[in-house]
Amino acid sequence: MKALVCRKPGELVFEDRSAPGRPEAGWALINISHVGICGTDYHIFEGKHPYLAYPRIMGHELSGTVAAVGEGVAVELGERVVVNPYFACGKCIACRHDKPNCCVSIEVLGVHRDGGMCEELLVPAGNLYPATGLSLFEAAAVEFLAIGAHAVRRSKLAAGVRTLVIGAGPIGLGTALFARIAGQAVTIMDTSRERLDFAEGLGFPVVDGASVSPDDLVRQRTDGDCFDLVFDATGSKASIEAAFAYVAHGGALIMVSVVKDEISFSDPEFHKREMMLVGSRNALRVDFDHVMEAMRDGAVPVDKLITHQTTLQDSPHDISRWAYQKSGLIKAMIAF
């Protein structure tokens, strides 16, 4: 089969790989249809991912059709599916508490093991969710949207609260969309005027984080109270540390993005607010199902979010270009 392989940072090549073969018990063989290109994939290409061994087949935002199944698998041949790319051990403390998204020994397709930028892929049947009522194009967008949906569910605050989402990339926009679906009054902050214009096109009020005093803008938007919920989806240490000041008394900061650096904050300010600091990692089946339901209801403008498309054949050139040329780019998709 054909596979797109990142042999080392900056080098993407096509390779002929052996076909996966027949699935064993509990597994299924998927014909890959569409792959969303994630910030993780760009980081792998650029050599910025801390937990990766090269060479690697990237790709974890996947849709496809079932080509073969192993013993004991009830999924029907030809069924359209969304792939959950998080492989959990099923035994650790997180798994025992029904939190496989933060499994102690988690393996993610396209990161810890070869992913879906190839023609066929073997996947545990439990990681396949029927894409009922969705096109395969739409189905490949479910995983990245589930990240935001999971973060919103982790926030645990009621509808009607004032919410700030920092970062108008794919994850931030997904978080904002699902916060709005949850009934929250959502504002988006970014330092890019282009990204802010895109967010406004989706109906969100915005705050320009590149302004002289974003703190003042935040207080103006909230009558001096700050926001009940603040989600950071920037992947920036400076942004995360600044976000503490945007949280209202009794509110919460949800860290959707992750950085390698240590984060520091003022403990007196943290305690004065009695604020919550919440980590959010990956997503669960309930989040995937919620995203698919919202997409079927027309609440998610997938066609607007997928701004760029390419083919498997053209993807080495396009991924190399998009890693550095971000103008107009929100989410790119590979169609097989």
Side-chain angles (χ1 to χ4, degrees):
M1 68 172 181
K2 293 292 185 183
L4 178 62
V5 182
C6 189
R7 286 182 176 169
K8 61 182 181 180
E11 184 178 343
L12 289 172
V13 297
F14 279 115
E15 291 184 4
D16 286 313
R17 292 282 185 102
S18 300
R22 295 288 302 179
E24 60 185 43
W27 287 63
L29 178 67
I30 307 303
N31 288 332
I32 298 297
S33 172
H34 289 73
V35 181
I37 303 173
C38 177
T40 297
D41 301 317
Y42 296 122
H43 289 157
I44 292 170
F45 171 73
E46 295 170 299
K48 296 179 180 179
H49 200 288
Y51 309 118
L52 189 110
Y54 298 89
R56 178 64 71 223
I57 299 174
M58 303 183 299
H60 61 272
E61 300 176 5
L62 311 173
S63 70
T65 56
V66 178
V69 297
E71 184 179 351
V73 175
V75 182
E76 295 185 5
L77 297 182
E79 184 168 11
R80 296 179 177 185
V81 291
V82 173
V83 178
N84 180 334
Y86 324 126
F87 289 14
C89 72
K91 300 176 182 178
C92 72
I93 185 169
C95 291
R96 295 198 305 270
H97 290 157
D98 296 323
K99 296 181 178 181
N101 61 302
C102 56
C103 168
V104 172
S105 304
I106 198 167
E107 290 188 308
V108 181
L109 287 172
V111 180
H112 306 98
R113 58 167 65 198
D114 282 339
M117 291 187 186
C118 56
E119 293 177 311
E120 297 179 316
L121 187 68
L122 284 171
V123 180
N127 286 63
L128 301 178
Y129 307 150
T132 307
L134 303 181
S135 69
L136 287 165
F137 171 80
E138 293 171 320
V142 170
E143 190 275 339
F144 91 84
L145 290 166
I147 302 295
H150 181 73
V152 171
R153 193 165 57 82
R154 288 274 291 150
S155 69
K156 296 182 180 178
L157 286 187
V161 299
R162 290 183 292 198
T163 294
L164 177 68
V165 175
I166 309 173
I171 300 300
L173 291 170
T175 302
L177 285 165
F178 281 90
R180 185 164 67 184
I181 289 169
Q184 298 172 12
V186 184
T187 298
I188 294 180
M189 175 188 285
D190 203 287
T191 58
S192 164
R193 187 65 250 178
E194 183 179 72
R195 288 281 176 96
L196 292 175
D197 290 343
F198 188 91
E200 287 183 315
L202 297 178
F204 293 103
V206 300
V207 169
D208 187 350
S211 65
V212 175
S213 181
D215 289 27
D216 290 343
L217 288 175
V218 165
R219 293 187 179 278
Q220 289 172 16
R221 294 295 181 88
T222 59
D223 301 319
D225 292 332
C226 294
F227 287 90
D228 303 297
L229 288 178
V230 177
F231 295 86
D232 189 279
T234 64
S236 163
K237 167 184 166 69
S239 175
I240 293 171
E241 291 181 340
F244 282 81
Y246 306 150
V247 181
H249 282 235
L253 171 60
I254 297 89
M255 294 171 59
V256 191
S257 60
V258 60
V259 295
K260 292 187 293 182
D261 310 282
E262 293 184 356
I263 300 299
S264 62
F265 57 90
S266 166
D267 185 63
E269 288 296 322
F270 178 78
H271 273 83
K272 182 171 70 176
R273 287 167 168 79
E274 198 185 44
M275 63 179 283
M276 293 186 295
L277 179 61
V278 181
S280 182
R281 187 182 187 193
N282 301 328
L284 294 167
R285 172 68 185 264
V286 63
D287 305 307
F288 281 78
D289 288 341
H290 178 39
V291 169
M292 287 190 278
E293 181 181 4
M295 292 171 75
R296 285 190 290 267
D297 290 342
V300 181
V302 177
D303 289 343
K304 290 183 179 180
L305 295 173
I306 310 301
T307 55
H308 293 55
Q309 297 186 56
T310 187
T311 64
L312 185 62
Q313 181 178 358
D314 293 335
S315 58
H317 169 75
D318 288 334
I319 292 174
S320 302
R321 179 165 53 92
W322 293 334
Y324 303 104
Q325 298 177 11
K326 301 294 188 183
S327 180
L329 175 64
I330 298 297
K331 170 63 67 173
M333 186 83 75
I334 302 173
F336 282 55

